[in-house]
Amino acid sequence: MRISDMLNQALEYLLIKDIKKDIFMSDEEILQDAHQRLKEARNTFANVDPDFIVYAIYNLRAAEERYNLLIKQTKNK
């Protein structure tokens, strides 16, 4: 699998599926889910095969950005 394919999958996983899922979840559940995904991304980054490091970096960065955005939105409510 090419790096670009993996990045597209990561973005789809983090964005498109989240939009559909978020419709049926409370704000607290969405935040908990984002935190869990962030922990998983950190774990993946820490244990990734060197061939997949670019994927792990993008995945971690996306998870961090999503979590931080949700924290900010929650504080503003």
Side-chain angles (χ1 to χ4, degrees):
M1 182 178 283
R2 294 184 335 222
I3 297 291
S4 62
D5 293 335
M6 290 187 301
L7 293 176
N8 285 336
Q9 284 181 345
L11 287 175
E12 180 180 324
Y13 177 73
L14 291 170
L15 299 175
I16 296 171
K17 290 183 180 179
D18 282 345
I19 292 169
K20 292 177 185 175
K21 189 169 138 183
D22 290 354
I23 293 171
F24 302 105
M25 296 172 67
S26 70
D27 290 345
E28 184 177 329
E29 291 172 323
I30 292 168
L31 192 56
Q32 288 174 349
D33 182 63
H35 186 253
Q36 180 62 36
R37 289 185 188 198
L38 177 56
K39 290 192 301 188
E40 290 169 5
R42 286 177 178 158
N43 186 45
T44 298
F45 180 77
N47 299 301
V48 73
D49 184 292
D51 292 336
F52 295 100
I53 193 70
V54 174
Y55 166 78
I57 291 168
Y58 279 102
N59 186 43
L60 177 57
R61 189 70 180 132
E64 288 173 340
E65 289 295 324
R66 181 170 188 270
Y67 184 69
N68 290 334
L69 176 65
L70 290 171
I71 290 285
K72 221 186 263 189
Q73 287 177 346
T74 301
K75 286 180 179 179
N76 289 335
K77 284 188 175 182

